[in-house]
Amino acid sequence: MNLRLLALAGVVAFTVALPLAVASAGPVADAGYPGRDGAAAAGAPGRDGKGTAAPVPTRSPRLLGLGLATAARCGPELSSPDGIEAQTCVLTQGEDTWARTYYRNATGDELSSVLTLMGPGGRTVQMNCVVGAEDDPGVCETPRERTDGDVGGYSAVAEFAEFAEFAERTAAAGPLLLRSGSNSGQ
């Protein structure tokens, strides 16, 4: 009878202590991977039990439970006196890279936007988007392309302009209202 009571008390103690131990352990970080602010975790590469350098983690896609993580390099949020607001980003997920611009059109007029993704070696991808006259947030993005070379070699630019007066609305011919880039220097 005493053995059963001791076993039951041990199970209760373990059940109470386990959540406390997990809570006091703190968050788990992957050494060698960038944190939320983009900085690498502190510390040098680890060593195995023999005193030799352990393999350094490579930059591979990390899973967030729903698929591959998406990295974004975005330029500043810009606005024009005419009422256009935009932010342009270069996105990378796994081996794919593409451009995306987030915008809001408060001009009251339908506009045209050209989003250009520029990659290493002079490669470019362009997307023409119609920006509705309503003041709702919108998104325009290029098709995803296989990443070629260093992701840092990619940049994107979105240009917003008025439509031309003629009926065919395939390209903007009016004045440029806003240019938004993925790099802060643009």
Side-chain angles (χ1 to χ4, degrees):
M1 186 65 118
N2 286 339
L3 188 56
R4 285 185 187 172
L5 186 57
L6 285 174
L8 182 59
V11 169
V12 169
F14 178 76
T15 304
V16 170
L18 183 61
L20 295 174
V22 171
S24 66
V28 177
D30 292 333
Y33 286 103
R36 285 183 192 240
D37 62 351
R47 300 213 170 256
D48 63 14
K50 302 173 190 153
T52 60
V56 177
T58 60
R59 258 188 108 196
S60 63
R62 296 177 48 189
L63 297 178
L64 297 178
L66 298 175
L68 297 174
T70 303
R73 284 185 308 110
C74 299
E77 295 179 27
L78 300 175
S79 61
S80 75
D82 299 307
I84 301 293
E85 299 173 5
Q87 182 177 29
T88 302
C89 304
V90 172
L91 304 168
T92 304
Q93 183 182 60
E95 295 185 4
D96 292 334
T97 299
W98 68 102
R100 179 183 292 165
T101 188
Y102 302 93
Y103 62 84
R104 172 171 264 147
N105 178 9
T107 65
D109 296 323
E110 192 173 79
L111 303 176
S112 174
S113 174
V114 177
L115 176 60
T116 305
L117 174 67
M118 296 162 285
R123 293 180 41 178
T124 61
V125 177
Q126 278 192 339
M127 187 66 162
N128 293 312
C129 299
V130 174
V131 177
E134 57 278 345
D135 187 17
D136 295 329
V139 173
C140 176
E141 66 180 37
T142 64
R144 297 176 184 214
E145 299 285 329
R146 187 171 184 93
T147 304
D148 182 28
D150 181 28
V151 177
Y154 284 85
S155 62
V157 174
E159 296 177 320
F160 296 85
E162 295 175 352
F163 274 121
E165 292 298 321
F166 55 90
E168 187 176 306
R169 296 180 174 203
T170 58
L176 181 66
L177 301 176
L178 180 68
R179 178 177 288 137
S180 170
S182 63
N183 299 336
S184 60
Q186 294 181 354

